[in-house]
Every structure is written in C-alpha cells, then in structure tokens.
Amino acid sequence: MRKKTFIGFLCLFLTASCMLSAISIAKRETTLPKPKTSVITETKQQTVPTVKVDSKDPVTLEKGNPKIVTLTKDEQSKLLKWTSSDSNIVTVDSGGRIDGLKTGTATISAHYNDNTKSECTVTVVNEKKQSVDRYSTATTANSDVLNKNIKSNSYKNVYMIRVNRQMNCVTVYTYDENGNYTVPVRAMICSCGKNDGTILGTYNLYFKSEWLGLFNNVYGHYVSGISGDYLFHSVPYYTENIDDLETEEYNKLGDFASLGCVRMAIADVKWIYQNCPQNTVIEIYDDDDAGPLGKPEAIKITDLSCGWDPTDDDKNNPYNKKNPVISGAKDITAEAGSTIDLLGGVTAKDTCGNDITDKIEVLENVDTNRAGIYKLTYSVTDVLNRSDTVDVIVKIT
C-alpha cells in the first residue's frame, strides 16, 4: 500500500508542476500522463509559434510531419475522446497527435464529458522537401550569405579556408558585407600530421590534381596544394582506384594520422577541389576551440574489407544504397497506470553498421493513465544525414 500511495502522490506532483511537453526524446521510462496546454505545437521543435485549439485560423500540417494538440489540465480531466471529420485527410490518436495523410481540410475535435468540445481546422499540405547532403558529415551554415556571394560579381574569392591543426577540424568562411572572411559556411573533420607534422601559417592553394602519388607508394584523391608537399587530399588509396581505400586509415579521421598533409573524407576534400579555386587563402593554426561550427562527428567503417569511402557519391559505391536501420520496434499493449519502457529492445545502426541507439528519438504523447490507442514514432538520423523512421501503436487498456 505504501508503494501505491507514493506513486499516486508522485503522479499528482508531476502533473501539477509541468505544463508543457508534447515531444519526448525517450531515453527513459514513461510512467505518467504528460501535462497539457491548449496549444498545437510542432512535434520536432519546442520553440515554434503556437495556435489556440479554438482559433478561427486553420492549422497547417505537412504530410509526414505530425503535430500534437495539447489540452489544459481541466480539459484533459474532462476529455472523452478525439475525433476527425475526415480520417482520410487527418487522423488523430487518443493523445491528440494529428497526422496528415493527404492534402485537404478536416476538423479535429476534443469531446468532453460535459457535452462541450474544442475544435480546430487542419489543412494538410505536401511536405516541403529540403535538400540534404547524404554524403558528407560536414556542418553547414549561413547559406543565405553564401548564395548571395556566389551570385555576386565580386572580384574576391568566395571562400577562405582555416585549418585548426590542434582540433583536426577545417572551417570554410565566406566574406561579410565589409569584405572580411568572418562568415562560417562549412566545417569538416580532418587528420593533420602526427607530432605537429602539419605546417602553421597562411598560404594560397597553388595546384590541383584528381589523383597524385604520395609517400609510401599510396595515392591521394582530389588533391589541392597548400605549400610544397603539404596538401589537402583524401585518405590514402593503395592504387588509383576508388574501391581501394586504406580503410584502417579512414577510421583515424578526426585524429592525428598523416605525415603532414591534411587528410579528409572524399565528400569534403572533393568539395574543396571543386569549389575553392587556386589562390584561395588557407590559414593553419592551433586552438583548443574547434571553431564557430564545432567539429563534426566522424562515421567509422565497420567492414574493413570494403574499400570504399562511405562519403563517396559514386553510383557504384555500395554505401550509397544503405541507410540507418531501427530494429526491435513493435506495438505495445499495457494496462492503465503501468510503466512503459519505450526503448526496451529497440536499437539502431547507422549507414556503416555502427550502433547509434543513443540517437533514437521518440515522438509520443502517450497518457499511461488513460485507456486509448496512441501512435508512437521512432526516428534516427546518422552523421551522413540519412534516416530511418518506424511507427508503432501503443494500446493502453
């Protein structure tokens, strides 16, 4: 009896103290109903404009991007059910999650036990597809400034490259309104020379070669010259073949590994090769701050027998047919008031087979104290910006 009394008290305390939460990045167990407020909020962002449930303005819902209608504590206590006027356009689950199935308009209603209801009009539109780089692990920013500079007729090079030798990170800048290279647009991991083998100072790109022989009878791909024998180039290949990579060396990206050159993944060194012309300024320096965009995460090769760089966009690259995979997700049935481990048995691996279970996000609005049918979505995205999504049903009886 003491345990039940304690759990009951804990439920009351948390319900009263938390009034906002529509999204759960579930790294824990769900045991209590989520507190509600009378707003509709984006499911993958908490800091977005909100819309009142009874607003005369329709709610816009993109297909594939659900939202959650949340209620006040009083409304939640009176709630009987949710309904959709056209479930072929919009569905709504017992937790107020709305999913757009096809373009059109429908009305979502929350029905209460005092014969009243709240309604909102939902207009479903096609999802706005965003262009995503599925090859590089680079971090990008300030595309508006960059695109403006690319389109301008300025005599200046669009880019300047800064290599943080200490952090094995390359950050590319474009110029600001005053012509100074202060606007970061791209950050990439690299491998600089062991034992401070990479030179410091300011230089200019002085030559390019698609392939170039390196020391120790190996080859660099997409080579851009920094100074003398110091180069930007790929992780070494045994031969001039794009499926003959030194895979063990690839897994050192982000750490000191070269004899002095700046090694990079194919997608990143190819970007420099194709976008930064000769005379582009390069500054190599040391700092314990990786840079304004941080240091991107690397992806590791698990199959060392596969001689491809995972970031190579060549149509024959076997990695280009692979994506992250979520495993173990299944429908859940539980009694009201019970504990649900949302991540129990659910795992994920990235494009290269590395475990990324800790990156799984769970979109849910399950009220474990109320019987109903709830929709739950597991999603995961790896450092190559490739994703997997799995929907399951949670039934509370």
Side-chain angles (χ1 to χ4, degrees):
M1 290 297 295
R2 291 182 178 177
K3 182 179 290 186
K4 291 183 177 179
T5 301
F6 173 75
I7 292 176
F9 172 78
L10 184 60
C11 291
L12 291 173
F13 174 77
L14 290 180
T15 301
S17 63
C18 301
M19 292 304 295
L20 292 171
S21 182
I23 302 174
S24 173
I25 298 179
K27 310 256 191 267
R28 54 179 171 73
E29 294 182 339
T30 294
T31 60
L32 302 172
K34 293 193 176 303
K36 319 294 181 189
T37 56
S38 294
V39 296
I40 294 178
T41 107
E42 297 286 353
T43 59
K44 294 187 179 180
Q45 299 180 33
Q46 295 186 6
T47 55
V48 295
T50 58
V51 181
K52 292 183 178 180
V53 175
D54 57 358
S55 173
K56 295 181 180 180
D57 297 326
V59 175
T60 300
L61 179 67
E62 291 184 6
K63 288 193 295 184
N65 291 307
K67 296 182 180 181
I68 293 176
V69 184
T70 57
L71 304 173
T72 64
K73 181 181 178 181
D74 179 60
E75 290 167 338
Q76 181 70 12
S77 68
K78 299 187 300 181
L79 181 65
L80 290 176
K81 63 179 179 179
W82 291 94
T83 61
S84 169
S85 64
D86 191 338
S87 58
N88 292 316
I89 295 176
V90 179
T91 60
V92 59
D93 73 359
S94 298
R97 167 176 166 160
I98 53 176
D99 286 81
L101 304 185
K102 69 176 184 180
T103 57
T105 300
T107 299
I108 298 301
S109 301
H111 300 263
Y112 307 117
N113 59 18
D114 59 1
N115 295 320
T116 62
K117 64 181 179 180
S118 298
E119 295 184 335
C120 62
T121 301
V122 180
T123 298
V124 180
V125 298
N126 288 321
E127 182 182 4
K128 297 177 182 177
K129 297 291 185 180
Q130 295 183 345
S131 178
V132 177
D133 185 346
R134 300 180 68 254
Y135 301 99
S136 174
T137 65
T139 300
T140 58
N142 299 305
S143 59
D144 53 342
V145 178
L146 175 58
N147 291 334
K148 179 181 178 181
N149 289 349
I150 290 174
K151 293 176 182 178
S152 74
N153 294 320
S154 172
Y155 64 91
K156 295 175 67 68
N157 278 342
V158 174
Y159 302 106
M160 173 185 177
I161 304 170
R162 302 189 75 212
V163 180
N164 186 335
R165 185 181 72 168
Q166 180 178 338
M167 297 300 294
N168 288 297
C169 182
V170 176
T171 304
V172 180
Y173 294 78
T174 193
Y175 54 86
D176 59 25
E177 58 186 6
N178 297 317
N180 300 316
Y181 292 91
T182 63
V183 183
V185 295
R186 187 180 181 93
M188 302 168 283
I189 57 169
C190 69
S191 285
C192 293
K194 295 177 287 186
N195 302 315
D196 295 334
T198 301
I199 54 175
L200 297 174
T202 301
Y203 308 92
N204 297 85
L205 283 182
Y206 75 96
F207 91 98
K208 295 191 176 188
S209 178
E210 186 171 353
W211 287 97
L212 187 70
L214 307 174
F215 292 108
N216 298 325
N217 297 316
V218 292
Y219 298 84
H221 200 10
Y222 296 116
V223 178
S224 296
I226 299 171
S227 176
D229 291 332
Y230 295 92
L231 318 164
F232 290 112
H233 63 71
S234 69
V235 172
Y237 288 78
Y238 293 109
T239 61
E240 292 186 29
N241 293 290
I242 54 178
D243 61 351
D244 203 13
L245 181 74
E246 286 194 65
T247 50
E248 296 90 345
E249 293 299 306
Y250 181 90
N251 284 343
K252 297 177 183 178
L253 280 173
D255 296 320
F256 300 101
S258 77
L259 296 179
C261 292
V262 181
R263 295 179 181 176
M264 304 175 75
I266 280 293
D268 297 331
V269 75
K270 183 178 180 180
W271 186 91
I272 290 178
Y273 181 85
Q274 293 179 333
N275 291 279
C276 298
Q278 291 190 28
N279 294 319
T280 296
V281 175
I282 308 152
E283 179 186 353
I284 304 176
Y285 67 102
D286 284 332
D287 197 312
D288 57 9
D289 181 349
L293 301 183
K295 180 180 178 179
E297 186 178 348
I299 192 165
K300 303 295 184 181
I301 295 174
T302 58
D303 180 7
L304 297 182
S305 66
C306 180
W308 285 86
D309 182 317
T311 72
D312 195 330
D313 63 357
D314 187 276
K315 65 180 181 179
N316 296 311
N317 188 346
Y319 288 109
N320 294 345
K321 299 178 181 179
K322 297 182 179 182
N323 291 292
V325 176
I326 295 173
S327 302
K330 58 184 179 181
D331 293 347
I332 300 170
T333 299
E335 294 183 357
S338 62
T339 296
I340 303 175
D341 183 1
L342 297 178
L343 281 175
V346 182
T347 61
K349 291 187 176 182
D350 67 15
T351 298
C352 291
N354 300 284
D355 189 299
I356 53 169
T357 300
D358 61 346
K359 293 183 180 293
I360 296 176
E361 295 185 354
V362 181
L363 169 62
E364 55 88 22
N365 199 38
V366 179
D367 184 343
T368 57
N369 281 0
R370 183 185 296 277
I373 305 296
Y374 302 85
K375 190 174 181 180
L376 181 153
T377 300
Y378 297 97
S379 62
V380 71
T381 300
D382 69 11
V383 294
L384 291 175
N385 300 308
R386 304 180 193 184
S387 302
D388 189 27
T389 301
V390 177
D391 291 326
V392 302
I393 296 299
V394 178
K395 183 177 182 180
I396 304 298
T397 60

